[in-house]
Amino acid sequence: MRPEPGSRRATGGAGEADSWEPGPASRGDKRRDALLRALDELLHESNLESITIADITARAGVTRSGFYFYFADKAACMAALGAHVYVASVAAAAHLSDESLTAAQRIERMVYDLTVSVRRHHYLYRAMLDARRHSSAIREMWDSYLESFVAPMAQYIDGERAAGHAPDGPHSHTLAALLLGLSDRVLESLGPTDTPDDRRRLDALATIWLRAIYGTSGIARPHG
């Protein structure tokens, strides 16, 4: 499954509200947006498992049949809302292609932006984690999100090796998959606010990325 970000957009700066926002929509899309907004609001008040389709439709002012016109079930509605997290991750990964930054800065900014995104949308990220434990559809979606980053990351690693910036090492695809899996676990462990323990985890994560790709050369030295 792939995200459908057409009717969603990430919020702006860190000071803005951490909620889902609709984009331009037709009359039919407005009903779909109302359902997504309703689920978003309900996730601020309760956990996904406790929220029913009746809760969502009542909050949205949409009939039950209207819900099923857009979504097969609650998991599908959650998957559409969860694309918000994916879009923010794509933006964070874009730092790797910024040639104005050093290698260390690219990776550190990617890790930092992922952290900011998880904290800004903490309620939604928690809901996604909870949903993937109970829904095979959400689990499949999450896995496809991670998998979609593997090839670009592997390409980045291969490019750095070809340019002589990084030494030869493990198969780039395998290395990228392992680094992304580790990053996923670290992001899972973060709380909604910054703590010394979280900062140490994130510093360690950035260092692991740098040394896994660049070895112990000066290029792999974190800036802090």
Side-chain angles (χ1 to χ4, degrees):
M1 298 172 61
R2 287 300 178 93
E4 303 172 31
S7 62
R8 292 160 296 281
R9 58 183 175 86
T11 53
E16 295 188 14
D18 57 343
S19 59
W20 173 88
E21 297 179 21
S26 66
R27 180 178 299 178
D29 287 338
K30 286 180 180 178
R31 289 194 293 269
R32 184 177 185 274
D33 286 345
L35 291 165
L36 291 172
R37 187 184 298 106
L39 177 57
D40 179 85
E41 292 173 358
L42 289 165
L43 286 171
H44 281 82
E45 304 165 9
S46 183
N47 60 64
L48 182 65
E49 195 172 2
S50 302
I51 297 169
T52 65
I53 290 175
D55 293 330
I56 299 171
T57 55
R59 179 70 64 96
V62 176
T63 64
R64 191 176 184 88
S65 61
F67 177 93
Y68 286 114
F69 178 81
Y70 295 104
F71 305 109
D73 50 28
K74 184 173 66 174
C77 189
M78 182 67 231
L81 188 61
H84 200 88
V85 175
Y86 179 82
V87 171
S89 300
V90 170
H95 286 302
L96 291 179
S97 61
D98 188 345
E99 296 183 357
S100 69
L101 303 175
T102 67
Q105 288 171 333
R106 293 175 193 172
I107 289 173
E108 287 161 358
R109 291 192 186 184
M110 177 183 69
V111 170
Y112 173 78
D113 278 7
L114 285 171
T115 305
V116 169
S117 173
V118 167
R119 290 214 169 106
R120 184 181 298 153
H121 311 296
H122 190 261
Y123 76 101
L124 181 54
Y125 194 79
R126 292 292 105 190
M128 288 290 292
L129 292 177
D130 182 55
R132 75 180 186 180
R133 296 187 187 100
H134 300 97
S135 166
S136 59
I138 296 292
R139 225 169 14 252
E140 178 187 344
M141 181 201 71
W142 193 278
D143 289 345
S144 75
Y145 283 178
L146 283 179
E147 181 62 29
S148 72
F149 286 103
V150 172
M153 293 296 182
Q155 184 177 10
Y156 172 79
I157 293 169
D158 288 336
E160 291 295 274
R161 289 173 177 175
H165 299 152
D168 290 335
H171 189 277
S172 60
H173 192 281
T174 302
L175 180 58
L178 290 173
L179 289 171
L180 287 165
L182 174 62
S183 301
D184 189 38
R185 295 300 299 273
V186 172
L187 293 173
E188 281 184 38
S189 72
L190 297 181
T193 56
D194 188 36
T195 67
D197 282 345
D198 282 351
R199 285 196 295 274
R200 284 191 287 269
R201 288 191 192 95
L202 294 167
D203 285 345
L205 178 62
T207 301
I208 289 169
W209 269 85
L210 285 165
R211 292 185 179 172
I213 297 173
Y214 297 101
T216 56
S217 62
I219 206 170
R221 188 173 300 115
H223 293 267

